[in-house]
Amino acid sequence: MALRVTFVAAAGSSTVLSERFEDSRPLDQAGWSEVQRVAHELLPLAAADLRYCSPAPRSRATGEGLGYAPLVQLALRDCDMGRWRGLTLGEAMAREPEAVDAWLADPRSTPHGGESLLDFIGRVGNWLDTRPAEDGCRVVAVAEPSVIRAALVYALKAPPGTYWNIDVRLLSTISVAGRPGRWSLRLESVSAQPLRA
């Protein structure tokens, strides 16, 4: 039996188009309502041996709202976006279109003066690889969708550009199982009800 890490995507604090890089806003009312709506489904994850969250306000609030009492992990913070912090993608594109294009095309680039996509994926992957490796240990981590995308790219040893092709929905869950450097994606059924033919 291997270590299992289940990621829970934090609830939202804005619409998708108004998402900001390194968003530090707290959950809005719609986000809180969504947490309350799905809490009964996600509450069983509170039984995990270890419960973590990113330092972002919405991740902490989501974890608390779900009853996880998570421990903040700085390694699960969003990508350091340098001078683009707090901007939407559209705002960054309006100010520096060539820089945004370079950032989207090259995972090593840092035109914003922050962290490259490659370094971000490596940081999140290092966090994943340093979890306790006891057989059967269950971990839950509440984080922004961007952090979960980075973890999946790392776990699957996918090319960095794959990051842009992963859609992580708010309050969705995904698990990886394995050991440091050897992770597998684990898709689990939503309910224990048998499927009907």
Side-chain angles (χ1 to χ4, degrees), residues 11-12 27-39 171:
L27 283 183
D28 59 13
Q29 187 54 49
W32 275 113
S33 296
E34 284 298 303
V35 169
Q36 292 170 347
R37 186 181 66 77
V38 301
L171 292 169

Side-chain angles (χ1 to χ4, degrees), residues 24-109:
S24 61
R25 293 176 291 172
L27 283 183
D28 59 13
Q29 187 54 49
W32 275 113
S33 296
E34 284 298 303
V35 169
Q36 292 170 347
R37 186 181 66 77
V38 301
H40 69 283
E41 295 172 30
L42 299 179
L43 185 59
L45 292 173
D49 301 299
L50 300 167
R51 297 171 305 281
Y52 301 114
C53 70
S54 86
R58 73 182 192 166
S59 290
R60 292 193 322 258
T62 299
E64 291 294 336
L66 293 173
Y68 298 168
L71 178 65
V72 171
Q73 298 285 281
L74 292 178
L76 292 179
R77 68 192 180 282
D78 209 343
C79 187
D80 176 356
M81 296 305 290
R83 68 179 171 277
W84 294 349
R85 183 173 197 243
L87 299 179
T88 65
L89 178 59
E91 290 168 346
M93 183 64 92
R95 292 179 187 186
E96 303 179 54
E98 296 86 14
V100 171
D101 286 343
W103 173 67
L104 293 172
D106 181 2
R108 291 176 181 81
S109 70

Side-chain angles (χ1 to χ4, degrees), residues 3-191:
L3 172 68
R4 184 175 73 199
V5 180
T6 300
F7 290 97
V8 178
S13 58
S14 61
T15 64
V16 173
L17 290 178
S18 62
E19 280 289 319
R20 300 187 174 279
F21 295 126
E22 293 187 83
D23 198 346
S24 61
R25 293 176 291 172
L27 283 183
D28 59 13
Q29 187 54 49
W32 275 113
S33 296
E34 284 298 303
V35 169
Q36 292 170 347
R37 186 181 66 77
V38 301
H40 69 283
E41 295 172 30
L42 299 179
L43 185 59
L45 292 173
D49 301 299
L50 300 167
R51 297 171 305 281
Y52 301 114
C53 70
S54 86
R58 73 182 192 166
S59 290
R60 292 193 322 258
T62 299
E64 291 294 336
L66 293 173
Y68 298 168
L71 178 65
V72 171
Q73 298 285 281
L74 292 178
L76 292 179
R77 68 192 180 282
D78 209 343
C79 187
D80 176 356
M81 296 305 290
R83 68 179 171 277
W84 294 349
R85 183 173 197 243
L87 299 179
T88 65
L89 178 59
E91 290 168 346
M93 183 64 92
R95 292 179 187 186
E96 303 179 54
E98 296 86 14
V100 171
D101 286 343
W103 173 67
L104 293 172
D106 181 2
R108 291 176 181 81
S109 70
T110 59
H112 44 59
E115 187 175 28
S116 73
L117 178 62
L118 204 57
D119 288 342
F120 174 49
I121 292 167
R123 171 171 48 86
V124 174
N126 184 59
W127 177 87
L128 186 61
D129 279 348
T130 57
R131 295 308 90 208
E134 297 174 20
D135 279 347
C137 184
R138 295 174 304 146
V139 176
V140 66
V142 181
E144 287 69 44
S146 60
V147 172
I148 298 171
R149 291 192 333 242
L152 293 175
V153 170
Y154 181 84
L156 296 174
K157 297 179 180 164
T162 306
Y163 175 89
W164 305 114
N165 301 108
I166 299 173
D167 182 19
V168 178
R169 306 274 174 145
L170 302 177
L171 292 169
S172 63
T173 64
I174 188 105
S175 297
V176 295
R179 300 193 182 290
R182 296 182 58 201
W183 298 99
S184 298
L185 187 61
R186 183 175 179 141
L187 302 176
E188 300 172 299
S189 64
V190 175
S191 79

